[in-house]
Amino acid sequence: MLFKGDVNMDRESFEKRKKVVYDLVHDKHYIPMKRKEMAMLFNLPKEQRGDLYDVLDALVAEGAIGISKKGKYCKVENTALTGIFESTQRGFGFVTIEGEEDDVFISEKDINGALHHDKVLLVITSEKTEGRRREGRIIKVLERGIDHIVGIFEKNGAYGFVVPDNQKMSKDIFIPKHKINGAVNGHKVVVKIDNYGDDKHSPEGSIFRILGHINDPGVDILS
């Protein structure tokens, strides 16, 4: 039996069980159900339901499936929320949701390529408890909040980077050789973001305007 109790369940078995549950929830004939109902569907006695519950918890934590306020498991899109992502200098961030007083904590591993001020789709992975706020995972960027950034240009061989003035922009902007447009080390510039990258790759941009050298009078005010 797929969910037969096994204290020594290996990673491969766990992933197989996750796929079975994921496919079930995404089947066109599936009707959202609570975990007890799903256990009954798999014909699991009470003492063997722990593995199924671990699988469900893992899928929700990954943002692969959603869970409604009534405790029913469903496609993640059915429980997703929309909000504005606010990044921090330390890598993690928060999503503010219109009409809700409390924001949602997003760990660095759950940002999914979102940048400061992006409009995002997210799922709740952990509800609010005493002393801890809700936690979530961003599953999609709906709309980019920033397309031009002011920063300092730093040349590195044939290419360069722009270090944003706004420290909430947690990534430097990569500038290919053909998009440097005359900038040199120490220039304060406006960079246009051409590609927002992802969790493994930096955003890429082109120098849109050179404001001057960081030591030039009035450059900081202009920027």
Side-chain angles (χ1 to χ4, degrees):
M1 184 184 295
L2 183 67
F3 283 97
K4 183 178 180 180
D6 181 3
V7 294
N8 297 314
M9 179 174 56
D10 59 25
R11 171 55 56 182
E12 183 179 357
S13 298
F14 190 68
E15 292 300 322
K16 286 181 179 178
R17 297 176 185 193
K18 283 167 60 179
K19 185 178 186 308
V20 169
V21 174
Y22 177 88
D23 290 345
L24 170 66
V25 172
H26 287 80
D27 187 279
K28 64 180 180 179
H29 300 298
Y30 173 77
I31 298 175
M33 61 182 72
K34 297 182 178 181
R35 64 180 191 171
K36 183 178 180 180
E37 297 170 323
M38 196 175 292
M40 293 173 64
L41 177 67
F42 285 112
N43 198 27
L44 292 175
K46 289 183 179 180
E47 62 272 14
Q48 294 182 359
R49 295 177 181 179
D51 285 347
L52 171 62
Y53 298 163
D54 288 344
V55 166
L56 289 168
D57 290 343
L59 287 170
V60 170
E62 293 170 7
I65 65 174
I67 181 171
S68 71
K69 291 182 178 180
K70 294 183 179 180
K72 294 187 176 184
Y73 295 91
C74 55
K75 292 180 182 179
V76 67
E77 293 84 359
N78 296 344
T79 58
L81 302 170
T82 300
I84 302 298
F85 177 64
E86 300 284 337
S87 183
T88 70
Q89 298 178 36
R90 296 171 62 184
F92 59 83
F94 302 90
V95 172
T96 56
I97 300 170
E98 186 176 357
E100 296 192 9
E101 182 177 350
D102 297 326
D103 54 20
V104 181
F105 173 80
I106 309 293
S107 68
E108 187 173 4
K109 66 180 178 63
D110 291 322
I111 288 174
N112 198 20
L115 299 174
H116 189 56
H117 277 182
D118 285 350
K119 183 177 183 180
V120 299
L121 197 66
L122 74 151
V123 291
I124 302 300
T125 57
S126 177
E127 290 293 343
K128 181 179 179 180
T129 58
E130 186 175 353
R132 296 189 63 180
R133 68 181 75 210
R134 289 184 298 174
E135 297 183 12
R137 180 176 186 271
I138 293 172
I139 59 174
K140 186 178 183 181
V141 175
L142 299 176
E143 184 179 320
R144 294 295 183 178
I146 297 175
D147 56 8
H148 287 73
I149 292 173
V150 174
I152 298 174
F153 178 76
E154 295 182 358
K155 202 168 189 299
N156 189 341
Y159 55 87
F161 288 90
V162 171
V163 180
D165 283 358
N166 186 344
Q167 294 182 350
K168 289 187 176 183
M169 294 296 297
S170 57
K171 295 182 178 181
D172 295 345
I173 314 301
F174 173 74
I175 311 296
K177 179 180 179 180
H178 63 285
K179 295 183 178 181
I180 291 177
N181 295 333
V184 299
N185 277 330
H187 267 162
K188 182 82 75 169
V189 299
V190 180
V191 58
K192 177 181 178 295
I193 301 179
D194 301 318
N195 184 319
Y196 287 86
D198 53 34
D199 287 338
K200 296 181 179 179
H201 302 90
S202 296
E204 181 179 310
S206 53
I207 302 301
F208 176 75
R209 183 181 177 190
I210 297 173
L211 302 178
H213 194 274
I214 54 174
N215 295 326
D216 290 345
V219 167
D220 283 342
I221 296 174
L222 180 61
S223 65

